[in-house]
């Protein structure tokens, strides 16, 4: 007779549409280690073993559910395992009778307990409760933060698995539908960004379209701005990029969007500089910096966490470098000073923009020096902007640095 906790783990996997092997892969994607196996998943689902709390955290993240709910249920499951066989059989029969995890309904008394609420949220036709929705929303936010330090390939499976979890929960979201729709859009946008970095442009476009649809369904314009700004990196021409960014700028007007506005305007400045429009580029950069003065990238939308002071430095460097402005030197000094000795994940992007700006501005010797720093840092701290930066820098290196350029192109591919 199956234990309720084992059945709950089985339900989590099946609701995610995964085989045992795929479930193991999803957990490994979260942990960053290839330690989970199909055999161990099978042992959990047969109640031959109960996951440790450390493993439970990874299972919760991979399935988009509350770790605390799983932890409490695992604790109860371990207690049941310790009881003698007669008492254990009695308890399991009683639990099965009350919860009907394998059937079509869950008893009212069971739904009052943490594991019962989680199982209820996962039952077809039932409404997702607030803790379950909060777990999914929080996980979507966490993924945007992880993007700063994980490679696109490592992040892709995790993001897509979480999007599957939200998709499964949305039909049961009830009063939480808007919050879950926004989280779905945020996760789809990140999936698109990762797909673009991996060269899967059609998939990226599809994810961005889904994000825009979520924005419309939730009545949340900043979500569309996220999709448009991400999409602007892969759009063929600067003119078309400016069109997308102009719409995005309209979508992030209003209270609580200062960081998003700073990012969108900074991107607008970059693309105007690419067209050689000094006036528009400098005006947009000034507006971006003004918006950032009122911003708090740690407390607004989760997806703006990457818009750190380092990132604002990189936008300014990109603009001044493309325009050949005298402000480049002072901005570069400020950026280097802000980076300090301990290079953050976001600092890799700054190094890339600094190297590109110096090379474009004619300071080749310093540009090559910073490029070598960037090449080492982008390997040590990979993120989804690394390849795009490497490819651009390679085109600006002098002929006598062909080996360095080839290294960057290889990394970019």
């Amino acid at each position: 007779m199956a234990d309720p906790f084992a059945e709950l783990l089985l339900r989590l996997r099946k609701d995610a549409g995964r085989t045992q092997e795929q479930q193991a892969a999803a957990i490994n994607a979260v942990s960053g280690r290839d330690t989970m196996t199909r055999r161990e998943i099978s042992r959990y689902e047969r109640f031959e073993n109960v996951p440790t709390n450390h493993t439970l955290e990874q299972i919760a993240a991979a399935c988009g559910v509350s770790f605390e709910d799983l932890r409490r249920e695992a604790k109860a499951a371990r207690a049941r395992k310790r009881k003698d066989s007669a008492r254990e059989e009695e308890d399991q029969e009683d639990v099965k009778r009350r919860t009907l995890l394998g059937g079509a309904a869950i008893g009212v008394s069971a739904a009052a307990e943490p594991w019962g609420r989680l199982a209820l949220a996962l039952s077809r036709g039932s409404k997702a409760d607030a803790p379950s929705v909060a777990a999914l929303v929080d996980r979507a936010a966490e993924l945007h933060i992880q993007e700063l330090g994980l490679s696109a390939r490592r992040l892709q499976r995790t993001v897509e698995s979480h999007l599957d979890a939200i998709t499964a929960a949305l039909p049961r979201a009830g009063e939480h539908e808007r919050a879950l729709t926004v989280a779905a859009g945020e996760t789809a946008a990140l999936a698109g960004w990762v797909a673009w970095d991996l060269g899967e442009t059609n998939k990226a476009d599809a994810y961005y379209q889904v994000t825009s649809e979520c924005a419309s369904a939730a009545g949340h314009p900043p979500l569309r701005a996220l999709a448009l700004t991400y999409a602007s990196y892969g759009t063929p021409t600067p003119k078309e990029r400016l069109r997308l960014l102009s719409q995005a700028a309209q979508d992030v007007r209003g209270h609580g969007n200062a960081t998003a506005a700073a990012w969108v305007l900074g991107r607008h400045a970059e693309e105007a500089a690419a067209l050689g429009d000094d006036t528009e580029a400098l005006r947009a950069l000034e507006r971006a910096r003004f918006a950032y003065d009122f911003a708090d990238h740690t407390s607004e939308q989760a997806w703006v966490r990457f818009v750190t002071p380092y990132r604002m430095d990189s936008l300014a460097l990109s603009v001044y470098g493309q325009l050949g402005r005298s402000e480049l030197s002072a901005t570069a000094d400020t950026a280097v000073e802000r980076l300090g000795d301990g290079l953050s994940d976001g600092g890799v992007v700054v190094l890339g923009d600094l190297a590109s700006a110096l090379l474009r501005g004619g300071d080749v010797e310093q540009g090559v020096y910073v490029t070598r720093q960037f090449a080492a840092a982008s390997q040590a701290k990979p993120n989804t902007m690394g390849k795009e930066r490497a490819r651009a820098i390679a085109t600006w290196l002098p002929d006598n640095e062909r080996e360095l350029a080839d290294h960057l192109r290889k990394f970019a591919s």
Side-chain angles (χ1 to χ4, degrees), residues 22-183:
Q22 289 169 336
Q23 180 76 335
I27 294 169
N28 285 334
V30 171
S31 69
R33 300 191 304 272
D34 293 329
T35 55
M36 184 60 63
T37 64
R38 182 207 62 77
R39 182 177 179 181
E40 193 62 24
I41 297 296
S42 177
R43 292 181 67 194
Y44 294 153
E45 293 178 357
R46 295 200 303 268
F47 203 51
E48 293 176 7
N49 198 4
V50 177
T52 65
N53 285 345
H54 181 68
T55 301
L56 285 171
E57 285 187 286
Q58 297 160 6
I59 293 173
C63 296
V65 296
S66 166
F67 162 63
E68 286 302 318
D69 286 349
L70 284 181
R71 184 185 65 78
R72 282 191 290 266
E73 272 312 292
K75 182 178 180 180
R78 294 186 192 104
R80 287 193 296 273
K81 237 180 172 353
R82 290 192 295 266
K83 293 179 181 179
D84 59 81
S85 58
R87 180 64 183 273
E88 181 180 345
E89 181 178 349
E90 179 183 341
D91 286 351
Q92 288 182 2
E93 180 62 33
D94 180 60
V95 170
K96 185 175 182 181
R97 184 173 60 255
R98 287 189 299 114
T99 64
L100 299 177
L101 278 172
I106 296 177
V108 174
S109 61
E113 300 179 45
W115 64 264
R117 292 200 304 271
L118 180 58
L120 182 64
L122 295 169
S123 298
R124 297 187 183 280
S126 299
K127 296 293 180 66
D129 65 1
S132 299
V133 171
L136 290 168
V137 171
D138 289 346
R139 178 60 176 160
E142 182 184 338
L143 289 172
H144 277 273
I145 298 171
Q146 286 188 7
E147 185 265 334
L148 288 172
L150 291 181
S151 67
R153 183 63 66 190
R154 285 183 61 190
L155 191 60
Q156 187 176 50
R157 286 186 298 176
T158 304
V159 173
E160 291 184 340
S161 293
H162 187 58
L163 187 58
D164 286 342
I166 296 179
T167 301
L170 262 173
R172 308 187 298 275
E175 63 182 303
H176 308 293
E177 182 177 358
R178 185 176 186 274
L180 210 52
T181 299
V182 171

Side-chain angles (χ1 to χ4, degrees), residues 383-400:
N383 61 52
T384 53
M385 292 297 287
K387 291 196 301 183
E388 190 264 347
R389 291 293 190 278
R391 188 179 294 109
I393 293 169
T395 64
W396 286 94
L397 285 169
D399 292 340
N400 62 341

Side-chain angles (χ1 to χ4, degrees), residues 250-315:
Q250 296 293 321
D251 290 337
V252 292
R253 288 184 171 182
H255 180 71
N257 300 322
T259 307
W263 176 45
V264 173
L265 291 167
R267 282 286 299 127
H268 188 103
E270 276 192 302
E271 297 305 331
L275 285 174
D277 189 341
D278 292 46
T279 302
E280 180 63 17
L282 294 174
R283 185 179 72 90
L285 183 60
E286 182 180 359
R287 291 175 61 202
R289 285 174 156 171
F290 180 78
Y292 201 71
D293 286 341
F294 296 91
D296 182 356
H297 71 281
T298 64
S299 65
E300 297 174 22
Q301 299 96 336
W303 50 266
V304 300
R305 298 292 174 88
F306 72 93
V307 190
T308 62
Y310 304 112
R311 187 72 182 97
M312 294 304 295
D313 285 343
S314 75
L315 289 168

Side-chain angles (χ1 to χ4, degrees), residues 187-205:
T187 306
L190 183 56
W193 177 242
V194 171
W196 174 76
D197 192 54
L198 293 171
E200 301 169 349
T201 54
N202 290 337
K203 180 186 283 190
D205 290 341

